[in-house]
Every structure is written in structure tokens, then in C-alpha cells.
């Protein structure tokens, strides 16, 4: 029993809308529709049928009394007295017709409740051949009953035999429901809008974009608290980035002073011993320090701007020519994209330059649409083992054949590129390339 229930639950979860606004509308509309359906069913089943049955019984009872009077008491040739009594006392317009055959049965309406009750009551109270028409004139009901030598034709108002207030009731019920639903949607929209604004602000901050203009916590108390908590978190993160940048700048200044002293002492000590290894170590330390600090400062201060990817590709194409490497690129969509230009240019340059070191040919495919920016870099180099593709993104990770460093590298190329991608809300993934080397996939949401 639990299996079908779980399967139905999963199916229902897939069919349900994913957005909060749509789900909230369902929460409001579903109970209202259910309640209105139950009320309508109870009304139709109890009130409408019961009232129609009683009205039809009363009309047939009057007709039965008219038949008894006609057959019991002598009447004038034109039946004027019984016609007058029926019209004035019972609200029925009757006439006595020759004993012609009754008309053939006509089509029944879709809701044949009046035909049903009239037929049932005529059969039960009068039990004579009859013919009824409830389809013709909307205000009148025609009934014909065969007597011994005549045919009695009766015209009765439909309201005498039928609960005519049904349409009014249903109109009021549906109209009231629609008015309440419109009011509910209006207020619900105002409650959902601050949540949508908060989601947009969080997404913008996660991708390194400025907050939407005029954003401030609004709506219900819980939504205001969430918005206030987000703004406080944003300030703490920005303050932490600023403090980290200031600290690294201070460390950079101090280390540069020490490295300058080392260089001076080595310059004075030339000729006393071989200083080449020490000079190489100092150069490596300075490259590592400058590279990481330049990235940290750029991440904390650079604003979002327009980057021309075609110009960036042309620059990399010139670099490929200097390195004697094959380089092909293809851009699908607009080459202009809103990102942090310097940081993102460094990301692409790091990845492509890394391919230049280990491969002879590099192919770059860029797809830019309204939602995403995807950059795929394929090369024919040695690649990276599948079990090490997560490790190479760690700072200072050293792997003899890794693609994130060379003899003069700092071990920070891929880690810096990944940090830049994540600061834009994206990610970098590694895979096998169809050309036999490494495939690098950069996905940035826009």
C-alpha cells in the first residue's frame, strides 16, 4: 500500500508548480473550489430538487382538482367557469381541446429535473395519458392530459413548478468567489513580491553584481527579518573581504621589503658563492605573492562592467602565435557580456595559457544566451587524471604532471580561476576532450 502512495506522491510533486506564487495560488484556490463544489452539490441535491419536487406536486395537485371538477360537476359548453377559477385561484391557464392525438414526445433538456418530477407526479396523481413541454417558451410549461372525450391543455408559469432561483444562487456564489479570489491574488502578490526581490538580491550578490536599485526589506515580519539578515550578512562578507585585502596588502608590503633586502644582499655577495638558486627562489616567491595579491585586490574592488569576448580571444590568438600554438575560437551569441572584466579576463587567460603550456592545439567554444555564458576549452595535451581533477583546484597543490603549474608556476592558476568563476556565481569543471587532451568547461549564470 505504501508503494502506490509514494509513487502517487512523487508523480504529484513532479506535476505541481515549482514557484512559490503558483503554489500559494493553489493553496488559496483549491479549498475555495472544493468548498464551492460541496455547497453547490448540497444545494442541487437537497434544496433545488426538493423545492422543484414540491412545486411540481402542487401544480399537478391543482390540475388533478380541475379534472375532478370537470368530470364531477356539469359544465357549460365553453367551460368558462372552470377556466376562470383555474386562472384566478390557481394561476393556471387552461383550455378544453377536441380529443385529438397527443403530440409526439419532444427532446428533453439537458437538466430534465422538471420533466422528471412532473411526469412522476402526473403518473402518480392522475394516471392518464399526458404530454408535457418544458423546452419551448422559457416562462411557461405546457401540459396536455387526455380525458374521456376531451384533451385538457394547461399553461403554467415555470416558476410555479420549478425552483427558478437556482441561477441567481449560482451566480452569486461564483461571483462572490471570483471577487474574493481577485482580492486574495492582489494581497498574495504583494506578499510574494518582497520574497522575489530578496531572491534576486541574493542571486545578484552571489554573482558579484550590485544589489537591485531601491532594495530594502519589505513585506511580512518573517520576510523583513530574512531581508535584514541578508543585508547584515552581505556587510559582514564585504567587510571580511576588505579586511583580508588590507591584511594581504600589509603582508605584501612587508614581504616585498624583505625580498628587496635579500636581493640587495645577494647582489653584494656576488662572486663569493653561487647565488643563482637563491635568486630563483626569490623570483618564485615574488611571482607567487604578486599573483595571489593581485587577484585578491581585484576581487574585492572591481565592479561589474562590459567585457568584449571577441577582443579577448584576439589577444589570446596573438599569444598563441608567439608560442607557436594552434588556436581556434568560435562565439555563438553576442560577444559582449556583463562581468568583472579584469577578473574574468584573467580566468580565461589562465585556463588558455595553461593549455598552451601542455598542448599544441587549443579550441575555444563560447555560447552566450540570455541565461548563461558557457566557455569550453579543448586541447590535445596530456590531460589530468580523473581522480585528481578536484585536487588541482586546491591552492599550492603540487602534482608532477598537473596542468596547473610549470617550472615557473605558482600552483595558483586553476584555484584562482575557480575562485573567479565562483565569485560570478558559476563553476569550472574538467573532463576528457574529444581531441584527446583536457576539456575545461566554464559555466557562468547571467
Amino acid at each position: 500500500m505504501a508503494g502506490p502512495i509514494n509513487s502517487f506522491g512523487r508523480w504529484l510533486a513532479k506535476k505541481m508548480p515549482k514557484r512559490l506564487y503558483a503554489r500559494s495560488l493553489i493553496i488559496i484556490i483549491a479549498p475555495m473550489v472544493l468548498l464551492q463544489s460541496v455547497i453547490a452539490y448540497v444545494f442541487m441535491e437537497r434544496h433545488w430538487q426538493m423545492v422543484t419536487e414540491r412545486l411540481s406536486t402542487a401544480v399537478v395537485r391543482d390540475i388533478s382538482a380541475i379534472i375532478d371538477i370537470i368530470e364531477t360537476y356539469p359544465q357549460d359548453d365553453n367551460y368558462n367557469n372552470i377556466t376562470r377559477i383555474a386562472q384566478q385561484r390557481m394561476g393556471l391557464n387552461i383550455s378544453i381541446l377536441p380529443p385529438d392525438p397527443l403530440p409526439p414526445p419532444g427532446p428533453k433538456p439537458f437538466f430534465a429535473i422538471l420533466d422528471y418530477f412532473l411526469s412522476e407526479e402526473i403518473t402518480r396523481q392522475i394516471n392518464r395519458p399526458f404530454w408535457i413541454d418544458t423546452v419551448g417558451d422559457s416562462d411557461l410549461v405546457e401540459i396536455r392530459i387526455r380525458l374521456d372525450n376531451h384533451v385538457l391543455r394547461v399553461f403554467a408559469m415555470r416558476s410555479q413548478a420549478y425552483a427558478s432561483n437556482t441561477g441567481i444562487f449560482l451566480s452569486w456564489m461564483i461571483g462572490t468567489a471570483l471577487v474574493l479570489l481577485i482580492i486574495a491574488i492582489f494581497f498574495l502578490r504583494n506578499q510574494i513580491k518582497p520574497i522575489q526581490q530578496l531572491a534576486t538580491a541574493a542571486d545578484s550578490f552571489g554573482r558579484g553584481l550590485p544589489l537591485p536599485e531601491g532594495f530594502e526589506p519589505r513585506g511580512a515580519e518573517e520576510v523583513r527579518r530574512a531581508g535584514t539578515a541578508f543585508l547584515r550578512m552581505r556587510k559582514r562578507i564585504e567587510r571580511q573581504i576588505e579586511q583580508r585585502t588590507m591584511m594581504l596588502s600589509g603582508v605584501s608590503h612587508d614581504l616585498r621589503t624583505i625580498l628587496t633586502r635579500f636581493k640587495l644582499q645577494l647582489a653584494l655577495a656576488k662572486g663569493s658563492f653561487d647565488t643563482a638558486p637563491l635568486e630563483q627562489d626569490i623570483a618564485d616567491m615574488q611571482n607567487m605573492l604578486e599573483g595571489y595579491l593581485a587577484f585578491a585586490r581585484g576581487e574585492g574592488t572591481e565592479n561589474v562592467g562590459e567585457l568584449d569576448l571577441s577582443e579577448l580571444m584576439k589577444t589570446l590568438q596573438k599569444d598563441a602565435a608567439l608560442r607557436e600554438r594552434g588556436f581556434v575560437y568560435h562565439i555563438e551569441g553576442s560577444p559582449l557580456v556583463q562581468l568583472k572584466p579584469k577578473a574574468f579576463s584573467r580566468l580565461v587567460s589562465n585556463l588558455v595559457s595553461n593549455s598552451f603550456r601542455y598542448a599544441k592545439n587549443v579550441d575555444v567554444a563560447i555560447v552566450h544566451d540570455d541565461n548563461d555564458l558557457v566557455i569550453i576549452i579543448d586541447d590535445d595535451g596530456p590531460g589530468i587524471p580523473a581522480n585528481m581533477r578536484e585536487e588541482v583546484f586546491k591552492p599550492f597543490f603540487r602534482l608532477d604532471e598537473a596542468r596547473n603549474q610549470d617550472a615557473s608556476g605558482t600552483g595558483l592558476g586553476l584555484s584562482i580561476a575557480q575562485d573567479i568563476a565562483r565569485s560570478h556565481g558559476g563553476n569550472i569543471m574538467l573532463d576528457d576532450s574529444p581531441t584527446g587532451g583536457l576539456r575545461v568547461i566554464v559555466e557562468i549564470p547571467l
Side-chain angles (χ1 to χ4, degrees):
M1 186 64 182
I5 293 178
N6 293 335
S7 300
F8 175 76
R10 290 192 294 268
W11 176 84
L12 185 62
K14 292 180 180 179
K15 297 298 182 181
M16 287 289 289
K18 306 303 180 185
R19 300 179 67 86
L20 177 61
Y21 185 63
R23 291 190 174 189
S24 301
L25 284 180
I26 291 177
I27 293 174
I28 292 176
I29 294 174
M32 184 177 297
V33 171
L34 180 62
L35 177 61
Q36 298 285 14
S37 301
V38 172
I39 293 175
Y41 174 78
V42 172
F43 174 81
M44 302 282 282
E45 184 69 20
R46 300 294 178 88
H47 175 77
W48 187 35
Q49 291 188 10
M50 180 181 65
V51 173
T52 301
E53 182 179 6
R54 290 180 179 179
L55 291 174
S56 300
T57 301
V59 170
V60 175
R61 186 181 296 117
D62 292 341
I63 296 174
S64 178
I66 292 172
I67 294 175
D68 287 344
I69 293 174
I70 293 174
E71 294 181 343
T72 303
Y73 300 98
Q75 304 292 325
D76 56 272
D77 294 339
N78 295 326
Y79 296 90
N80 293 327
N81 290 329
I82 191 63
T83 301
R84 177 182 56 80
I85 293 173
Q87 186 172 6
Q88 293 179 358
R89 303 300 179 186
M90 300 177 183
L92 302 175
N93 188 354
I94 69 170
S95 58
I96 305 301
L97 304 178
D100 296 330
L102 297 175
K108 291 186 178 182
F110 183 74
F111 293 105
I113 183 173
L114 179 57
D115 292 65
Y116 173 78
F117 284 123
L118 281 177
S119 301
E120 287 289 321
E121 290 302 320
I122 293 174
T123 302
R124 185 177 65 84
Q125 296 186 38
I126 301 176
N127 196 21
R128 298 193 184 195
F130 67 92
W131 175 85
I132 60 176
D133 180 17
T134 62
V135 180
D137 195 328
S138 59
D139 294 331
L140 296 175
V141 175
E142 182 180 358
I143 303 172
R144 297 188 185 188
I145 301 175
R146 179 179 292 280
L147 304 180
D148 292 337
N149 298 317
H150 303 282
V151 172
L152 175 63
R153 182 173 67 179
V154 181
F155 286 100
M157 297 298 295
R158 182 179 292 269
S159 58
Q160 291 180 257
Y162 183 72
S164 58
N165 61 344
T166 304
I168 298 176
F169 173 80
L170 294 177
S171 299
W172 271 101
M173 183 178 68
I174 296 174
T176 304
L178 290 176
V179 171
L180 294 177
L181 184 61
I182 292 173
I183 295 175
I185 291 175
F186 175 76
F187 284 101
L188 179 63
R189 187 182 185 87
N190 289 337
Q191 294 300 317
I192 295 296
K193 190 175 181 179
I195 301 177
Q196 296 174 333
Q197 292 175 342
L198 176 59
T200 302
D203 181 66
S204 299
F205 179 66
R207 293 190 285 124
L209 301 175
L211 294 183
E213 185 177 355
F215 171 76
E216 61 180 14
R218 297 175 182 174
E221 180 181 356
E222 293 81 2
V223 181
R224 289 175 179 267
R225 290 173 57 188
T228 302
F230 165 73
L231 292 178
R232 291 175 180 173
M233 178 192 69
R234 172 175 170 269
K235 290 182 179 179
R236 286 195 296 266
I237 293 176
E238 290 178 343
R239 185 166 56 248
Q240 180 183 8
I241 294 175
E242 183 180 357
Q243 290 175 350
R244 186 191 67 173
T245 303
M246 293 178 62
M247 180 193 68
L248 292 176
S249 298
V251 171
S252 171
H253 179 270
D254 294 339
L255 290 179
R256 283 172 180 168
T257 301
I258 297 175
L259 290 175
T260 302
R261 293 177 182 174
F262 284 171
K263 289 181 180 180
L264 180 59
Q265 291 177 4
L266 289 176
L268 294 175
K270 274 193 177 295
S272 302
F273 59 92
D274 186 9
T275 59
L278 291 177
E279 291 176 351
Q280 183 61 44
D281 289 341
I282 292 174
D284 292 341
M285 290 176 62
Q286 189 162 6
N287 289 335
M288 184 183 301
L289 181 65
E290 294 292 341
Y292 188 73
L293 292 179
F295 163 70
R297 286 193 297 269
E299 179 191 20
T301 59
E302 187 177 5
N303 295 323
V304 174
E306 187 176 76
L307 174 63
D308 191 340
L309 295 174
S310 60
E311 293 297 327
L312 177 60
M313 292 297 105
K314 291 177 183 178
T315 302
L316 294 175
Q317 196 170 40
K318 295 178 181 179
D319 188 19
L322 293 176
R323 296 169 178 255
E324 298 181 352
R325 298 289 190 267
F327 182 77
V328 178
Y329 70 90
H330 172 71
I331 300 177
E332 180 178 339
S334 174
L336 302 178
V337 61
Q338 294 292 325
L339 296 166
K340 294 180 179 179
K342 293 181 180 179
F344 197 78
S345 297
R346 178 169 184 151
L347 180 154
V348 178
S349 299
N350 278 2
L351 297 177
V352 174
S353 297
N354 196 58
S355 297
F356 286 160
R357 295 192 192 104
Y358 295 93
K360 296 295 184 181
N361 297 284
V362 179
D363 187 359
V364 178
I366 301 175
V367 180
H368 178 205
D369 56 29
D370 294 336
N371 300 318
D372 300 284
L373 172 65
V374 180
I375 300 177
I376 301 176
I377 303 172
D378 289 308
D379 63 50
D380 56 358
I384 296 177
N387 61 337
M388 304 302 294
R389 289 173 183 169
E390 293 294 331
E391 301 294 325
V392 295
F393 287 109
K394 295 180 179 180
F396 308 109
F397 179 80
R398 307 193 66 83
L399 182 66
D400 290 342
E401 297 179 359
R403 297 275 300 260
N404 65 334
Q405 57 183 348
D406 59 6
S408 60
T410 63
L412 290 172
L414 289 179
S415 60
I416 290 176
Q418 183 71 287
D419 286 342
I420 296 174
R422 289 176 177 172
S423 70
H424 287 82
N427 193 24
I428 298 177
M429 296 172 290
L430 304 181
D431 200 354
D432 294 326
S433 173
T435 59
L438 183 70
R439 164 169 283 189
V440 182
I441 304 173
V442 182
E443 294 183 351
I444 306 294
L446 300 177

